[in-house]
Amino acid sequence: MNRRVFTRMFVVLEYAMSSHLTSPPLPPTPSIAIVGAGLGGLTLARVLHVNGISATIYEAETSPNARAQGGLLDLHEYNGQLGLKAAGLHDEFLALALPGEDAKRVADRHGVLLLDKPGEASTAKPEVDRGALRQLLIESLPTDAIRWGHKLARTRCLAGGQHQLVFTDGSTTSADLLVGADGAWSRVRPLVSAAKPSYTGTAFIETHLVDGATRYKASANTIGSGTLMAVEPGKGILAHRHANGNLHTYVALNKPEAWIGAIDFSQSAVALHHIAKEFEGWAPQLRALVTDSDTEPVVRLIHALPVDHRWARIPGVTLLGDAAHLMSPFAGEGANLAIYDGAELGHALRDHPGDIEAALTAYETALFPRSASFASQTAWNHQRFFGDDAPQGVVALFTTH
Ligand SMILES: Cc1cc2nc3c(=O)[nH]c(=O)nc-3n(C[C@H](O)[C@H](O)[C@H](O)COP(=O)(O)OP(=O)(O)OC[C@H]3O[C@@H](n4cnc5c(N)ncnc54)[C@H](O)[C@@H]3O)c2cc1C
């Protein structure tokens, strides 16, 4: 080797070594706290996990089975299913899908069918049991990723975008990134926004008939194999027949909060009799879904955040799912969006290593217009469900979708 080549090699080596010695250290791994183990928070944790980023979920419920999750969800190809693909769980989700239960019927008060859409074998919007989907996500995470029985009581801003979390049992932790995935009544939301959910004017009263397909044959026959929507202006009976024969109903009424609040639901039979007065003149097989229930009726006052809910960038904190954009269920998008948000936030954090603020800016820039668009569609659907043109408005809605 001649002297010139040797000198050149030495210079290159010296430069490489010195640049190695002076290069900035890798950014420290940020601590990420997700409040809420709903579908949104779980998807975020899972997408981070598959991308080698760890996070901890703090969940108020004491165990995965503390509360029945109930209900069916149809997951859409354009958002919910994309989120599950990002989580690497799409095939497992398809294995849980319930073929045929996506059938839709619309009827009038006499039970006369105005629309009868059979279930499809396609995977565009398969129905899945919410509890089974949540369990799939829970089992896809390391066992120590979820801290059950941690109900967030309050938060405190620390220096540098960090936050302290204080739980109802008095324990505390702190995080570089705090994600509010804690649903409609989020304890994290006040850090970024003063908005509060408001009552949409529609209340759901939930009833169940165990093995209703055998015991309430006329009702089951009218429902068909999936969901029946019997609606009129201001009211409706939204019933679903499960594969195991159980009948699950949301009795929907446009009533003031005070009207619902005055009913004593601990006296189930009396309460349901009172509600059923709103359905006088309706077909007996439809009224039976209101008057009879094997479980105590559950009341759900449907709330929503403003359609264009958004917030200014606050260091170290963001929201996803219902915490960010609570909307009524009339477009069936809430859970789909929560899953999609979780995946999008996970990808933003992956794509901006060491720069939480850049990740949150990218995530929220897409989140706000997306949420506003679905929230406005949902509000419009809500009007059609119980507006003056019901049930024809609902027929039109399901004919075009
Ligand atoms: C009657 C009804 C029917 C619906 N049907 C559909 C449908 O068909 N399709 C659809 O896409 N969407 C539907 N939705 C909407 C859907 O349920 C929600 O949008 C979805 O569950 C939101 O998910 P999330 O993860 O944001 O919040 P959530 O599912 O509400 O999860 C929040 C989690 O945070 C926990 N939590 C709350 N507070 C705290 C706290 N302080 N500390 C720690 N943990 C806390 C809760 O225990 C919960 O586990 C429906 C909603 C209703 C009411």
Side-chain angles (χ1 to χ4, degrees):
M1 191 183 299
N2 71 34
R3 194 186 161 85
R4 255 177 72 192
V5 172
F6 180 80
T7 309
R8 198 179 156 82
M9 268 180 65
F10 181 76
V11 169
V12 169
L13 190 65
E14 193 181 42
Y15 173 76
M17 282 179 69
S18 67
S19 66
H20 170 73
L21 289 173
T22 56
S23 65
L26 284 173
T29 313
S31 52
I32 302 176
I34 303 166
V35 182
L39 296 175
L42 288 165
T43 305
L44 169 60
R46 168 68 185 176
V47 170
L48 289 174
H49 177 66
V50 297
N51 286 286
I53 304 168
S54 66
T56 305
I57 301 183
Y58 296 93
E59 166 57 48
E61 288 172 9
T62 50
S63 75
N65 307 314
R67 181 175 57 92
Q69 297 293 311
L72 291 185
L73 298 168
D74 55 331
L75 288 203
H76 306 155
E77 265 181 330
Y78 50 82
N79 48 21
Q81 290 193 47
L82 291 181
L84 292 176
K85 281 182 183 164
L89 295 171
H90 192 252
D91 287 344
E92 291 81 349
F93 152 72
L94 289 178
L96 294 175
L98 303 162
E101 291 200 36
D102 57 334
K104 300 276 184 295
R105 284 181 169 181
V106 181
D108 66 12
R109 59 159 53 203
H110 306 294
V112 173
L113 295 186
L114 307 172
L115 179 86
D116 189 3
K117 258 185 143 173
E120 291 172 21
S122 95
T123 56
K125 284 185 171 188
E127 296 270 351
V128 68
D129 179 80
R130 177 197 285 265
L133 181 60
R134 186 176 186 240
Q135 194 58 32
L136 172 67
L137 283 158
I138 290 170
E139 285 170 7
S140 75
L141 291 170
T143 43
D144 60 350
I146 307 176
R147 305 278 159 85
W148 299 97
H150 279 71
K151 183 171 186 179
L152 183 71
R154 58 184 186 280
T155 54
R156 197 160 67 87
C157 297
L158 305 173
Q162 276 211 329
H163 288 87
Q164 184 188 47
L165 290 75
V166 182
F167 301 98
T168 49
D169 64 1
S171 61
T172 61
T173 190
S174 62
D176 297 312
L177 171 58
L178 167 59
V179 181
D182 49 344
W185 305 103
S186 171
R187 287 284 167 102
V188 180
R189 190 190 299 125
L191 284 171
V192 297
S193 160
K196 289 194 170 64
S198 53
Y199 177 49
T200 60
T202 299
F204 278 4
I205 298 99
E206 214 176 326
T207 65
H208 279 100
L209 292 171
V210 177
D211 194 22
T214 314
R215 296 162 53 216
Y216 291 82
K217 277 205 168 66
S219 305
N221 287 342
T222 304
I223 294 171
S225 65
T227 299
L228 170 78
M229 294 157 280
V231 284
E232 268 193 2
K235 64 186 75 168
I237 295 173
L238 316 175
H240 188 88
R241 178 199 195 135
H242 292 265
N244 63 5
N246 290 351
L247 305 182
H248 173 236
T249 302
Y250 293 122
V251 182
L253 283 175
N254 280 1
K255 289 285 185 192
E257 255 180 298
W259 190 91
I260 300 288
I263 303 171
D264 178 3
F265 280 95
S266 66
Q267 305 287 318
S268 299
V270 181
L272 290 178
H273 183 73
H274 183 69
I275 299 283
K277 282 189 195 156
E278 300 294 318
F279 294 89
E280 257 158 31
W282 286 51
Q285 73 270 25
L286 294 177
R287 273 175 61 88
L289 298 167
V290 184
T291 53
D292 296 10
S293 181
D294 295 322
T295 52
E296 263 195 22
V298 177
V299 183
R300 296 183 194 277
L301 297 173
I302 305 298
H303 283 74
L305 280 166
V307 161
D308 56 354
H309 182 232
R310 56 175 59 219
W311 55 89
R313 178 87 297 288
I314 305 284
V317 57
T318 194
L319 307 175
L320 63 74
D322 279 4
H325 45 65
L326 178 68
M327 55 190 82
S328 78
F330 295 101
E333 293 288 1
N336 280 280
L337 288 174
I339 292 169
Y340 189 73
D341 292 350
E344 287 290 280
L345 179 53
H347 282 169
L349 289 163
R350 176 200 63 189
D351 295 343
H352 297 86
D355 194 345
I356 289 175
E357 287 314 296
L360 298 189
T361 301
Y363 162 70
E364 289 173 358
T365 301
L367 170 79
F368 295 141
R370 177 172 75 237
S371 314
S373 159
F374 282 108
S376 123
Q377 173 70 49
T378 296
W380 192 79
N381 284 10
H382 184 196
Q383 292 305 318
R384 300 219 81 179
F385 255 83
F386 306 117
D388 290 342
D389 63 345
Q392 288 309 328
V394 185
V395 173
L397 211 54
F398 283 91
T399 307
T400 51
H401 281 67

